[in-house]
Amino acid sequence: MKSKLLLITFILISSFCFAQEVEVKGTVSEVGTGLTIPGVNVIVKNGTASTVTDMDGNYIINAPVGSTLSFSFIGYETVEQTVTGAGVISVSLKETSQTLDEVVVIGYGTQRKKEVTGAVSVVGAKTLEDMNPVKVEQALQGTVSGVNVTTQSGKPGAALDVRIRGIATNGDNAPLVLIDGYIGSLSDINANDIENITVLKDAQAAIYGTSGANGVILVTTKKGRKNSKATFSYNAYTGFQETTRKLPLLNASEYALLLNEKYANGGQPIPFPNVSNLGEGTNWQDEVFDSGVPIINHDLSVSGGGEKVTYRVSGSHLDQEGIIGGSDKSHFERNTARVSLNADVTDKLKINTNVIFLTTDSQGFNENALGSVLFNAINTPSIYSPYDANGDFTVLPTGSSTIPGSNLGNEIINPLAQIANTYNDYNLKKLSGTFGADYELIKNLTVTGRVGFNTQNRDERIFNKQISYGGKVFDNVRSSVNQNAFDDNDYTFDAFANYKFDINDAHNFTATVGTTVFKTWGKGLYATGFDVPNNSWEFADISLTTGFADNKTVSSYSYDDRRLSYFGRIQYDYKGRYLLSGMLRRDSSTKFGANNRVGYFPSVTGGWVLSEESFFKENNILNFAKIRASYGVLGSDRFDSNLYLGLLSGEATYIFDGALVNGFAIGALPNPDLKWEEARKFDLGLDLNFFNDKLEFVADYFKDTRANLLIPNIPVSGIVGTYAPGGQNPTLNAGDVENKGFEFSLTYNDYIGDDFHIKASYNATFIKNTVTSVNNGTGFFAGGEFGVGQPQPTRMEVGHPMGYFYGYVTDGIFQNAEEVAAHPDQSALGAAAQPGDIRFVDVNGDGVLNADDRTEIGDPIPNATMGFNLQLDYKGFDFATYWFASIGNDMVRNYERNLTDVNRMSYTLDRWTGEGTSNSVPRATTAATSNNIFSDFFVEDASYLRIQNVQLGYTINPDFTEKAGITKLRIYAGVNNLYTFTKYRGFDPGASSGAPLSSGIDFGFYPVPRTYLIGLNLNF
């Protein structure tokens, strides 16, 4: 009996001890860096208690003795610990490469990465932190396959062009950018406010209908976390900038010797009988380029939240000066303020808002054009000094027989004087954001309403000083000031519902239906005043001007476009094994006439997860495999409004009461049958994960056919008056273009031991672009500009890539008179050939060299783009580098003026001077030749490999900084745009004008600067 009582007592005590709950607390940190991790899920296995770590990584939970605590967080390996009693249990989590359960934003909803059936890529906050991009677009270059980012200029605040899977239209190729649901711009937002960027590259974007033809970029911003105290984050960097390159130009002595030879070969007296005292002369690039140019960035945020409400408030300031012009002539300042609020009003109703206010202020000058500052710096001879004997800017001559080196024409001016006499100021104020609400009607049925908006005011002031440059085209006989103001707005209202349900726990469905209302409207006013008091920038205001002009001095614009859309999507999977999604969107737009106002955009995507099949054997090598495919039709209405209407935008002169009166006439001939451009996208993809998700391989074959491209100025009979001043031929849907190719990415992500983390990735994209139709009566559409008075050098033509270069093929240099005599006569090209001249190819073989022998001589679209990225972490140290390569893109060297006495690049030192001396650079002469007509002599391979970013950082052990209330203190140093490997002679092989038909024509691209940075990241 006694033994039974002891047994019963023991059982009761044991049960009590096991069931006894104790308080456990601790901190969750990251292996390697020691940084605490907020938002970690802490749960009692097989129990009901759970909590999450606060912003300091701390947690408190009650758990039974003997139970198991599980610590889990997306992107980290789960850790389990046994509760032995009350006290402290602190753990460290190791980052994992397992990303299949990560949530991916796909538009009006989300999916687990494992279930995504489209071509989708994601860039995370870590990449943005490593790259420190001045503009967010730069973080997409080389990090996402199928995406190419080019810069129009290196000046502060310059625009960047994002191309997803090639150039698909002769119009606007920019993707749709949505920031938390509203239509925005990547340039408007501070990089440290971004949680991740998702790129939709195929028919997955079809749910955006007429807006998604060029691809869609979805930006998710950072938000506060529940049950966390206020946490401050301060990030700052400062640095200096310099040009990455200066062109090798002739110094004064080399220039004089070249001119002597040129004049002698032309049968004229040599201009420099004595060159011994000229020396090096002026290096005009040294004069216009500054070094040590500052750039400063600060941003501060505070975030936190309670059980029902979370918040994040942030502000940023960027101040960047230009490497040309100094702070008062080339400068960009951007300030942002952002508020994010989320509230659980009830268990079913959640509301949210994200609002950002942006201001920019910038100054700049003429660039990438004939007559730009760099154009003048390249072409001004080194024999001239920047200043004359009186300390004034040297006035460059137009041409005189008594002044050697003076035949500079009426275009080239002193670039320093040009900078000094440039005055402008551009200001932008923009308010953007969303207000939204989610309501769960019944279990798994959520209705969402969301309003997104943009409202912006821009104003600019440009002062044209009364100035004489010695009879140049830039002379101003009277001063004037242009003052322009713009007011642009849009709003989007989305209402949609998502319903999730399953049948027998095997057939899983997600249905989405909704509607979107979009409106954009605005107005602008341009005004000019003459005779500015004191001929001074300080008095450059229309209210102070006193002069008048005979021509019209004011103009304006206004617009109001609207779109009404309905969309639906059904997503299905069978046990996560077979995946299918179908979408349909209907858009109605006021940009079209009644005949084509409505468009329908269907798509279907599907996938097969082979690794979920019974025949797939688990192994230590391949652990995940998925095949996916998609096809869909998307649209684009990225063109001017009211092209289907006749507007009074032309010029006309009428006679009233015997007097001539200037008035208006119908401008462009309308086309009531205008309709959408249509993108038909096909994609076949493969996703493979190896070695327990440590190695990830993604590959896609794609084909994007863009139909019904808008071709302007279709020739019609002149009897309708379209050739009158201000008139224009109509725009028709008359073109097609095809982009097809292959892209892949390979990513390795793993820990070696507990302290060393490595993440390395490589991606490549191969694209072939071909125009398949141009139905405008001529079979081609020309564009671009080369030199002065020469035919347009680029074309959109069937069988060729978009914007290919159209000119003459060369075949070396004539070495002697016999070779000239044996070749077809080249007189029709401008002059009879002489030994030392360029030999052009008789392409059509008819024995005559003329305009019919022009053909494709280059292509600005790269055959392949590649990115290599490496991130290393060891204890508190971190290292990152990002590389990008573009292969097969050509560029036209159009920054050299062909006037007799302008300066030249050093390659002319290898010119032909007699038989056998050169077979690549023609002779120097003042006589008439055909050497300067547009040919492949001016087209260069602009392939390049660029080290985009290198950064080294160190995070101080939190055990030391926490004593001062600092949870993270990281310092780093880095270089952006470190070095570019290329054979291209110009400033920047990665630059582009952004226009599809002239993207590869270089007038002297303002180079993207090399930037040296030091910075810190501070959390407290």
Side-chain angles (χ1 to χ4, degrees), residues 206-207 566-570 582-586 600-603:
I207 199 165
Y566 302 96
F567 57 87
R569 177 177 62 202
I570 185 73
M583 288 167 272
L584 178 65
R585 177 158 172 147
R586 177 191 185 274
Y600 293 88
F601 304 99
S603 72

Side-chain angles (χ1 to χ4, degrees), residues 275-331:
V275 300
S276 60
N277 61 344
L278 293 176
E280 295 285 329
T282 301
N283 187 322
W284 286 98
Q285 293 178 100
D286 288 344
E287 297 293 330
V288 300
F289 279 118
D290 296 325
S291 59
V293 178
I295 179 173
I296 300 172
N297 184 79
H298 303 273
D299 71 76
L300 176 67
S301 66
V302 56
S303 62
E307 183 66 31
K308 298 292 185 180
V309 178
T310 63
Y311 62 89
R312 188 176 191 275
V313 181
S314 64
S316 71
H317 170 75
L318 171 68
D319 195 315
Q320 182 184 18
E321 295 184 12
I323 57 175
I324 301 175
S327 61
D328 59 335
K329 300 295 184 180
S330 181
H331 174 251

Side-chain angles (χ1 to χ4, degrees), residues 564-890:
L564 174 62
S565 308
Y566 302 96
F567 57 87
R569 177 177 62 202
I570 185 73
Q571 297 163 266
Y572 165 78
D573 76 80
Y574 175 71
K575 293 184 176 181
R577 186 181 308 166
Y578 308 118
L579 314 170
L580 187 65
S581 177
M583 288 167 272
L584 178 65
R585 177 158 172 147
R586 177 191 185 274
D587 284 325
S588 176
S589 172
T590 58
K591 283 197 172 183
F592 305 95
N595 297 343
N596 293 297
R597 181 149 290 177
V598 175
Y600 293 88
F601 304 99
S603 72
V604 61
T605 68
W608 178 23
V609 183
L610 285 78
S611 51
E612 293 292 329
E613 294 288 357
S614 59
F615 61 75
F616 187 90
K617 303 299 182 183
E618 291 188 9
N619 58 79
N620 295 325
I621 300 177
L622 178 63
N623 61 283
F624 176 78
K626 178 175 65 177
I627 299 173
R628 50 187 166 74
S630 66
Y631 179 79
V633 179
L634 299 88
S636 176
D637 61 356
R638 303 279 189 87
F639 45 81
D640 294 337
S641 306
N642 301 317
L643 293 179
Y644 68 97
L645 296 173
L647 301 176
L648 291 174
S649 59
E651 304 172 25
T653 301
Y654 303 91
I655 299 176
F656 291 107
D657 296 329
L660 293 176
V661 178
N662 293 323
F664 296 95
I666 293 178
L669 193 68
N671 175 14
D673 294 322
L674 207 65
K675 59 183 178 180
W676 326 90
E677 291 188 354
E678 192 174 86
R680 302 161 187 166
K681 294 178 181 284
F682 170 76
D683 184 276
L684 182 63
L686 175 66
D687 300 338
L688 301 175
N689 285 15
F690 301 87
F691 310 117
N692 196 26
D693 298 325
K694 294 176 182 178
L695 181 64
E696 181 180 286
F697 175 76
V698 179
D700 287 86
Y701 168 79
F702 59 88
K703 182 177 180 181
D704 184 349
T705 302
R706 186 67 62 89
N708 303 318
L709 268 64
L710 297 178
I711 307 294
N713 205 27
I714 301 292
V716 296
S717 172
I719 197 171
V720 298
T722 57
Y723 297 94
Q728 185 179 342
N729 289 325
T731 297
L732 269 66
N733 296 98
D736 300 311
V737 66
E738 176 185 272
N739 284 285
K740 61 181 179 181
F742 173 74
E743 67 183 36
F744 72 89
S745 65
L746 191 65
T747 302
Y748 180 75
N749 189 4
D750 191 21
Y751 268 89
I752 301 174
D754 289 335
D755 297 323
F756 185 73
H757 172 244
I758 179 173
K759 183 177 182 181
S761 63
Y762 171 75
N763 65 77
T765 305
F766 304 88
I767 292 180
K768 181 174 177 58
N769 175 279
T770 308
V771 176
T772 56
S773 175
V774 181
N775 298 316
N776 65 343
T778 63
F780 67 87
F781 181 61
E785 181 183 357
F786 181 79
V788 177
Q790 294 210 28
Q792 290 178 298
T794 65
R795 286 191 171 188
M796 173 186 175
E797 186 174 8
V798 175
H800 299 272
M802 178 76 73
Y804 80 94
F805 305 135
Y806 183 71
Y808 296 93
V809 179
T810 64
D811 184 25
I813 306 296
F814 288 115
Q815 298 297 319
N816 50 53
E818 289 75 16
E819 291 185 2
V820 174
H823 193 71
D825 182 34
Q826 297 186 170
S827 299
L829 304 184
Q834 300 291 330
D837 286 339
I838 294 175
R839 175 168 42 216
F840 297 99
V841 176
D842 179 14
V843 172
N844 61 10
D846 63 357
V848 177
L849 270 164
N850 54 28
D852 294 336
D853 291 302
R854 290 178 294 169
T855 187
E856 181 178 343
I857 57 173
D859 175 11
I861 302 174
N863 299 321
T865 56
M866 302 178 185
F868 173 73
N869 312 305
L870 178 66
Q871 301 169 15
L872 303 174
D873 299 282
Y874 179 72
K875 294 187 176 180
F877 291 94
D878 61 86
F879 172 81
T881 184
Y882 294 81
W883 297 49
F884 177 78
S886 178
I887 301 172
N889 54 299
D890 298 316

